[in-house]
């Protein structure tokens, strides 16, 4: 339905809590801080002092004291003058930490904890809003686990290795309301490609986008079969969004591998990607019907990058797109399980202001629960814990306490669904196309 990671990043900074002016408490920073432009979490119990006194005692967290002779790498943390610093670079040695040293960053462990709470709160708010609307508004999976084609290549039909980058171009035909997911990848290679402990010959597949120099992601596949076709489940699926903060809208995706990485050769499945139903008797075949199902939403074609057109340093970065060669009649030994579903990520981000009040209450409720169940022992801990418990449950604060008000706020979030394209309009029926063991089913 939506990408929670994109939603969290897009919601960061919507709400915040005020900075403390008490020098005895940690200063907070980052997207959780109220800056005068975002929305203030204005609750008498939610302030830095109460949160610091009831959170974990970060003063007891052990970090080695800074040593000028030690080599620190990016992410390493140390204590210096009772403060916690994190190294921003590798091979960080003989650079004394302070706030003006670009090799180090002063961090607040309380801020890091609160940032995680806020991020959880944004995700939970969106989840609860759509959960409350599930009986009124649903989005579709347009098709799920649809094999791009059926059939395998003849064992003797092999593609000559010429040092090319080869693979497939994918382009979403619709607008920003859909996402395509590659859930499985099929391979047919003349030789096995495995990691035997001495040599790692697994085949690397990389996902590119035409707006980015570096690949978006990559996977290594262990092909244990020789010449025979083999499916591979992808633990981290390749996702292709029309709109994503990592790349420009629209554009093309590419799933590619390097022929130089092949132990043997790819088995060639001769196939007309432009129109699989053009052959005689293909119109009612699986391939013809599969093409008709995905072609409305997803343009797919095989492509290759000649060795002469690759980056001179043989890096894995994006090549000159103008030198990409289209080849509509091969598969480079690849097949794909395709899913295309409606994606509300961009739709939600456009209307994120509607989630502000609910987000404030979700985050406040989470922080009140943390105060309520605090195990810290200090002068204010018991008093604040009792107040938090009373606030969450008391009928004097809205008929059922803060939790009751939160439920009403979640249900009050409303938005206009008319921006969704016709394919993704809410519906009660289980729309789209799915794949079954006997073929395509409506």
């Amino acid at each position: 339905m939506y990408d929670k990671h994109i939603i969290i990043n897009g919601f960061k900074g919507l709400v915040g809590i005020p900075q403390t002016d008490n020098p005895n408490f940690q200063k907070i920073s980052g997207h959780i801080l109220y800056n005068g432009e975002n929305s203030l979490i204005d609750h008498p119990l939610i302030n830095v002092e109460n949160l610091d006194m009831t959170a974990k005692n970060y003063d007891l967290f052990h970090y080695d004291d800074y040593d000028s002779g030690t080599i620190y790498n990016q992410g390493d943390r140390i204590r210096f003058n009772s403060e916690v610093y994190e190294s921003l670079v590798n091979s960080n040695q003989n650079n004394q930490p302070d706030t003006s040293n670009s090799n180090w960053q002063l961090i607040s462990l309380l801020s890091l904890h609160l940032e995680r709470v806020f991020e959880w709160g944004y995700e939970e708010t969106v989840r609860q809003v759509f959960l409350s609307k599930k009986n009124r508004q649903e989005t579709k999976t347009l098709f799920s686990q649809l094999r791009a084609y059926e059939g395998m290549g003849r064992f003797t039909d092999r593609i000559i290795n010429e040092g090319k980058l080869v693979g497939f171009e994918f382009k979403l035909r619709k607008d920003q309301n859909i996402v395509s997911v590659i859930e499985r990848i099929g391979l047919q290679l003349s030789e096995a490609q495995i990691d035997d402990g001495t040599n790692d010959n697994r085949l690397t597949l990389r996902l590119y986008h035409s707006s980015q120099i570096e690949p978006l992601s990559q996977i290594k596949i262990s092909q244990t079969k020789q010449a025979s076709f083999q499916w591979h489940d992808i633990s981290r699926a390749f996702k292709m969004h029309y709109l994503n903060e990592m790349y420009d809208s629209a554009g093309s995706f590419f799933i590619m591998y390097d022929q130089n990485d092949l132990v043997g050769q790819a088995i060639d499945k001769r196939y007309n990607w432009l129109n699989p139903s053009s052959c005689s008797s293909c119109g009612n075949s699986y391939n013809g019907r599969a093409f008709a199902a995905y072609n409305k939403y997803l343009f797919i074609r095989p492509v290759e990058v000649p060795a002469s057109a690759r980056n001179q340093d043989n890096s894995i970065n994006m090549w000159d797109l103008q030198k990409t060669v289209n080849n509509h009649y091969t598969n480079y030994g690849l097949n794909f399980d395709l899913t295309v579903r409606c994606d509300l990520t961009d739709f939600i981000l456009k209307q994120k202001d509607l989630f502000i009040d609910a987000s404030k209450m979700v985050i406040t409720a989470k922080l009140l629960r943390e105060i309520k169940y605090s195990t810290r022992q200090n002068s204010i801990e018991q008093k604040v814990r009792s107040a938090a418990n009373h606030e969450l449950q008391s009928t004097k604060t809205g008929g059922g306490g803060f939790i009751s008000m939160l439920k009403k706020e979640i249900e009050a979030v409303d938005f206009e669904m008319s921006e969704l394209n016709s394919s993704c309009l809410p519906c009660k029926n289980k729309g789209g196309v799915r794949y079954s063991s006997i073929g395509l089913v409506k």
Side-chain angles (χ1 to χ4, degrees), residues 15 53 110 123 125 217 237 249 252 323 351 379 403 437 442:
V15 302
M53 292 290 284
L110 176 62
E123 177 188 351
T125 301
S217 59
S249 59
S252 293
K323 297 179 180 179
Q351 306 194 57
S379 58
I403 299 303
S437 59
K442 293 290 186 183

Side-chain angles (χ1 to χ4, degrees), residues 38-80:
N38 53 2
S39 186
L40 173 66
I41 294 183
D42 187 16
H43 190 283
L45 292 177
I46 305 304
N47 54 63
V48 173
E49 290 82 356
N50 285 344
L51 294 173
D52 196 5
M53 292 290 284
T54 55
K56 295 177 181 179
N57 190 348
Y58 294 111
D59 291 336
L60 299 180
F61 279 40
H62 175 73
Y63 294 104
D64 292 337
D65 291 333
Y66 171 72
D67 180 2
S68 61
T70 299
I71 298 176
Y72 299 101
N73 292 315
Q74 185 176 1
D76 289 346
R77 293 177 181 174
I78 52 89
R79 283 194 184 274
F80 181 74

Side-chain angles (χ1 to χ4, degrees), residues 296-354:
K296 292 186 294 184
Y297 309 102
L298 196 62
F299 172 78
I300 305 175
R301 67 179 172 191
V303 295
E304 60 184 47
V305 183
S308 60
R310 297 181 57 176
N311 297 318
Q312 295 300 312
D313 58 358
N314 286 324
S315 72
I316 64 173
N317 290 342
M318 176 63 74
W319 56 94
D320 183 351
L321 284 174
Q322 293 185 349
K323 297 179 180 179
T324 304
V325 177
N326 303 325
N327 187 343
H328 299 292
Y329 300 99
T330 185
N331 74 329
Y332 300 113
L334 294 166
N335 199 352
F336 305 94
D337 244 4
L338 305 169
T339 293
V340 171
R341 61 173 180 262
C342 294
D343 175 49
L344 300 183
T345 302
D346 181 59
F347 172 80
I348 294 169
L349 291 178
K350 285 182 177 178
Q351 306 194 57
K352 64 182 179 181
D353 287 351
L354 300 177

Side-chain angles (χ1 to χ4, degrees), residues 41 56 94-95 117 124 183 187 192 198 209 221 239 246 271 296 303 321 355 358 365 368 374 422 424:
I41 294 183
K56 295 177 181 179
N94 198 26
N95 288 297
V117 171
E124 181 65 11
E183 298 183 331
L187 276 177
T198 302
H209 188 269
I221 294 182
K239 291 184 179 180
M246 294 176 61
Y271 188 76
K296 292 186 294 184
V303 295
L321 284 174
F355 292 83
L368 288 173
S374 170
S422 59
C424 292

Side-chain angles (χ1 to χ4, degrees), residues 85-118:
Y85 288 82
E86 182 173 288
S87 177
L88 300 177
V89 297
N90 292 322
S91 302
N92 190 359
Q93 185 180 26
N94 198 26
N95 288 297
Q96 183 170 290
D98 61 59
T99 54
S100 62
N101 190 329
S102 60
N103 289 335
W104 294 95
Q105 179 181 20
L106 176 65
I107 63 171
S108 163
L109 298 178
L110 176 62
S111 287
L112 293 179
H113 168 68
L114 293 177
E115 286 180 4
R116 290 191 291 269
V117 171
F118 274 56

Side-chain angles (χ1 to χ4, degrees), residues 133-138 425-431:
K133 298 177 183 299
K134 67 180 181 180
N135 293 325
R136 293 184 286 135
Q137 295 172 338
E138 298 178 7
L425 285 174
C427 67
K428 291 292 184 180
N429 299 325
K430 301 295 183 180

Side-chain angles (χ1 to χ4, degrees), residues 387-404:
N389 182 52
H390 182 268
E391 178 71 2
L392 286 167
Q393 304 298 334
S394 175
T395 57
K396 295 180 180 180
T397 58
F402 194 86
I403 299 303
S404 177

